[in-house]
Amino acid sequence: MTLFLHQAKTTFRRSHALRLSGLVIGLCLLLICLVLSITLGAADLSLPTIWQALVAFDGSTDHLIITTVRLPRSLIAMTVGGALAVAGAITQGLTRNPLAAPDIIGINTGAALAVVAVTFWWGSASTNTYVWAAFLGGTIAAVVVYWLGSVGRGGLTPLKLILAGAALSYLLSSITTGILILSQRTLDEIRFWLAGSVAGRDIDTLLMVLPYILLGLAIALGLSRQITALTLGEEVAKGLGIRTVWVEALATVVVILLAGSSVALAGPIGFIGLIIPHVSRFFVGVDYRWLLPYAAIGGAILLLLADVGARIVVRPQELPVGIMTALIGAPFFIYLARRKVKG
């Protein structure tokens, strides 16, 4: 028995060390991707120029590009990518559905419609107004999807949730398109944003949204143990003394905070919340104490790389980053759906 306990402790330490090493490696990769994001674009910049712009800004064109365009854009891509990946991981844990993500079940679409409606009625508004509109739209969409998925025999099931989310997404997208057809002004103001874009934002815009994202991430990490238990089923979680109703309510608030903030900041970027949680589970399993940090780093890396690709694939022009993530994510979604059907 003593030998068994010793072996178990040794295995746990090794597993802990490996996961910690993975986080360090992920952070190093994130730093490399950040440098690439600042370096590459319509005009490639050298590493010495980047360093000088950060420590000895001289007002030159290259330094202005770095400090006012490339660096804010890269930091926003990191923030949005990490937030969407964490929101996706929590959504999959709450629903116990590998196909769930804020954009798949309609939360992003609801948030986007709310922002479009605000722009239609009041014209250009502050980022704070867009954030609260996105929160409201995402909340209403989440409530409607959960209600539709719970109607009928058997209550809420993963398949019914996905179908309800897809149906609501199509409806909300149609309403959004209708508003844009009616208002050319609204279309001109936000058409690039609607495709998902991290371009054209500055540090001040990021700082206005960042508190909401940090709050969501902090609550998510605090709930990580409870969410892990929920993935095993509500009965198991209740048996462990977890107040499942409160955990689910708080976790839903976290998803709306993260997804709503991301939509307000960069538009409805899809598939980050679907792909990255699966990749993270491959490395750390279903323990959300590790899964969430891995997802945050992975999401930041993926969106940074997607944005770099969006800038250089049709250089000197560029694509909205949402198109790049869709090109990556759509085949992955089809693969997951086929595997789930076969399973």
Side-chain angles (χ1 to χ4, degrees), residues 88-164:
I90 293 174
T91 303
Q92 291 171 10
L94 284 179
T95 61
R96 294 176 288 283
N97 187 341
L99 300 178
D103 49 306
I104 302 296
I105 64 173
I107 293 177
N108 285 9
T109 314
L113 173 58
V115 172
V116 170
V118 166
T119 306
F120 175 73
W121 287 108
W122 290 290
S124 296
S126 67
T127 302
N128 221 29
T129 302
Y130 287 145
V131 169
W132 283 105
F135 288 162
L136 179 61
T139 301
I140 294 173
V143 170
V144 172
V145 167
Y146 275 89
W147 175 74
L148 289 174
S150 302
V151 172
R153 187 177 300 174
L156 184 66
T157 65
L159 178 59
K160 288 167 64 177
L161 184 71
I162 291 297
L163 292 175

Side-chain angles (χ1 to χ4, degrees), residues 156-225:
L156 184 66
T157 65
L159 178 59
K160 288 167 64 177
L161 184 71
I162 291 297
L163 292 175
L168 185 66
S169 292
Y170 280 121
L171 174 62
L172 298 181
S173 295
S174 299
I175 296 173
T176 301
T177 302
I179 293 174
L180 297 176
I181 291 173
L182 289 174
S183 174
Q184 182 66 38
R185 174 187 58 79
T186 305
L187 176 62
D188 290 340
E189 288 184 10
I190 63 172
R191 59 183 171 185
F192 204 69
W193 172 88
L194 273 174
S197 174
V198 293
R201 278 72 169 171
D202 54 23
I203 290 293
D204 291 337
T205 304
L206 173 61
L207 292 177
M208 290 182 68
V209 177
L210 192 59
Y212 304 110
I213 293 178
L214 292 177
L215 176 62
L217 292 175
I219 298 174
L221 290 173
L223 294 174
S224 57
R225 185 180 64 84

Side-chain angles (χ1 to χ4, degrees), residues 11 15 22 34 60 95 113 189 194 209 229 246 282 293 305 333 336:
T11 302
S15 177
L34 175 61
S60 65
T95 61
L113 173 58
E189 288 184 10
L194 273 174
V209 177
W246 283 104
F282 177 79
L305 293 178
F333 179 79
L336 285 176

Side-chain angles (χ1 to χ4, degrees), residues 15 21 25 27 59 61 65 110 116 128 145 188-189 202 207 228 231 238 258 291 312 341:
S15 177
S21 300
I25 293 170
L27 288 171
T61 300
I65 290 173
V116 170
N128 221 29
V145 167
D188 290 340
E189 288 184 10
D202 54 23
L207 292 177
T228 303
T231 61
K238 289 178 180 177
L258 296 178
L291 180 61
I312 65 176
V341 169

Side-chain angles (χ1 to χ4, degrees), residues 223-232 286-289:
L223 294 174
S224 57
R225 185 180 64 84
Q226 290 89 338
I227 296 174
T228 303
L230 276 176
T231 61
L232 303 174
V286 296
D287 188 343
Y288 272 72
R289 291 172 297 180

